[in-house]
Amino acid sequence: MRSERHEYKKQKKKRKWKSVLLILFLLFAGTLAYSYYQFKQGVSQSKGEANIETEEFEFNGEKDQYGGTNILVLGSDARGEEKSRADTIMVAQYHPDKGTYKLISFMRDMYVDIPGHGQNRINAALAYGGPELLRQTLKENFDLDTQYYSIVDFEGFVHLIDEAFPRGVEIDVEKRMSANIGVTLEPGLQRLDGEHLLGYVRFRHDAVGDFGRVERQQKVMKEVASQFTSLQTITKLPKLIGVVTPFVNTNMDTGDMLYMGKDFISKDSRNVETLRVPVDGTFENQRINGAAVLAINLEENKAAIHEFLSK
């Protein structure tokens, strides 16, 4: 009799575990289906509005020597049929073991060696040989490798901001801005939609020029990161990635983006550390063949980059 009761309890426990596993499986399958639906909704929302080049580029990068995943982020200034130079050059690092997020902005007028093309401004590497040549240029000059690349159509930035922050992103605009940005910004603390925020990060027609623009880009990246707390749940992430996907040419797959994005959004602290290259005191303005360039101390900047990434 006792053995029968024991067997009955055993069978009951087994059925209970089967039910739990079935429920977990259904929840998992439902989450995947919902995420895929949201992703496709985002893609459909943006499809037809993107002008990004769809060519798949060869890219032979690797993880850096510190175990981080580095992404070469490029915004291009293509006009008509001319080959595009890089308008914005950044390396974003995600370090899964340390849980850190870092961003390096490279001034586009730095005068460096471009493999196979002699010396030129660093942004010319994109026009000469696509993201792979720019990767090689960073590797040769700074011993910095990148595993992935993302070429971004700035219009995608507008759509992403408007989808993620319907009320806009709070920014303290330091001065009146209007020249060559398509909008007019008045000074003061305010909420900017995607179009006006893009104008803010692209403005450079003042005394500090490109240095001010890079500083504003990093400021906005930090603000957007901190204000992601306004998202109540990570369930919105698949749609956000879907919204921006048509505007990005990248060798990252959707799974990579979801993994990094989920990890970032789910953290209590979303601090993004930033660095500008060249760092202060390591460059001077020069004119070479009639062009204004930044002549830099390579060794000092290389050391600053590696100190920044290794911490």
Side-chain angles (χ1 to χ4, degrees):
M1 193 72 173
R2 181 180 295 176
S3 63
E4 289 180 3
R5 284 200 301 270
H6 177 73
E7 185 64 28
Y8 172 75
K9 288 181 179 178
K10 188 176 178 182
Q11 291 295 326
K12 186 176 180 182
K13 189 174 182 180
K14 187 182 291 186
R15 286 196 298 271
K16 180 181 178 182
W17 275 109
K18 283 183 178 179
S19 298
V20 170
L21 288 173
L22 178 61
I23 291 170
L24 289 174
F25 173 77
L26 290 174
L27 284 172
F28 179 71
T31 300
L32 282 180
Y34 175 78
S35 297
Y36 180 74
Y37 171 76
Q38 288 294 305
F39 172 76
K40 296 301 287 185
Q41 283 285 99
V43 171
S44 299
Q45 188 172 310
S46 296
K47 198 173 181 181
E49 299 183 46
N51 296 311
I52 196 73
E53 174 61 57
T54 57
E55 174 188 354
E56 291 186 17
F57 295 100
E58 175 188 3
F59 201 74
N60 301 311
E62 300 177 351
K63 281 192 173 185
D64 70 19
Q65 56 267 61
Y66 308 109
T69 298
N70 292 339
I71 306 163
L72 178 59
V73 182
L74 305 171
S76 66
D77 62 352
R79 298 178 181 87
E81 297 299 315
E82 72 176 66
K83 287 200 171 185
S84 61
R85 294 191 172 210
D87 185 56
T88 296
I89 304 171
M90 295 180 174
V91 170
Q93 187 205 63
Y94 164 65
H95 202 299
D97 296 333
K98 298 178 182 177
T100 56
Y101 299 85
K102 298 183 178 183
L103 186 69
I104 306 174
S105 297
F106 292 88
M107 300 293 291
R108 61 184 183 174
D109 290 339
M110 288 190 299
Y111 201 65
V112 297
D113 286 316
I114 298 177
H117 296 271
Q119 290 195 309
N120 206 328
R121 290 169 173 165
I122 193 171
N123 68 340
L126 183 64
Y128 289 152
E132 169 61 12
L133 183 58
L134 189 43
R135 181 197 70 79
Q136 293 175 20
T137 301
L138 290 174
K139 179 69 174 175
E140 178 173 309
N141 289 275
F142 303 108
D143 192 26
L144 172 65
D145 212 342
T146 47
Q147 187 175 1
Y148 300 106
Y149 76 86
S150 291
I151 304 175
V152 182
D153 178 343
F154 287 122
E155 195 61 31
F157 173 83
V158 173
H159 285 259
L160 178 65
I161 293 300
D162 288 343
E163 181 66 33
F165 304 100
R167 295 178 56 240
V169 174
E170 190 172 78
I171 289 288
D172 189 3
V173 179
E174 61 270 24
K175 66 182 76 175
R176 190 176 192 275
M177 303 176 185
S178 61
N180 296 335
I181 59 173
V183 295
T184 298
L185 300 172
E186 300 295 341
L189 186 65
Q190 55 201 282
R191 288 189 172 274
L192 300 181
D193 62 12
E195 183 182 9
H196 288 78
L197 194 61
L198 177 62
Y200 179 74
V201 299
R202 298 204 76 181
F203 180 77
R204 60 188 181 92
H205 291 275
D206 59 7
V208 290
D210 224 26
F211 284 90
R213 186 178 69 119
V214 167
E215 184 178 334
R216 281 186 287 275
Q217 287 176 349
Q218 293 189 342
K219 174 183 173 181
V220 165
M221 293 292 284
K222 287 185 174 184
E223 287 297 328
V224 167
S226 67
Q227 291 178 41
F228 255 111
T229 54
S230 64
L231 297 176
Q232 298 300 311
T233 174
I234 64 173
T235 56
K236 199 171 184 180
L237 181 61
K239 186 173 183 182
L240 293 178
I241 291 177
V243 165
V244 78
T245 291
F247 298 94
V248 178
N249 182 329
T250 182
N251 63 338
M252 297 179 68
D253 61 37
T254 304
D256 292 327
M257 290 188 281
L258 279 170
Y259 173 74
M260 287 188 236
K262 176 184 69 65
D263 196 36
F264 180 75
I265 291 177
S266 61
K267 285 185 179 296
D268 293 331
S269 174
R270 300 174 179 85
N271 182 47
V272 177
E273 299 175 63
T274 59
L275 176 72
R276 188 207 70 214
V277 176
V279 298
D280 289 340
T282 66
F283 66 91
E284 60 180 33
N285 293 294
Q286 290 186 2
R287 280 205 166 267
I288 298 178
N289 298 325
V293 301
L294 295 176
I296 69 171
N297 184 312
L298 277 176
E299 290 306 314
E300 289 186 17
N301 281 286
K302 185 191 299 185
I305 289 171
H306 287 274
E307 181 183 1
F308 177 69
L309 292 178
S310 64
K311 290 188 295 185

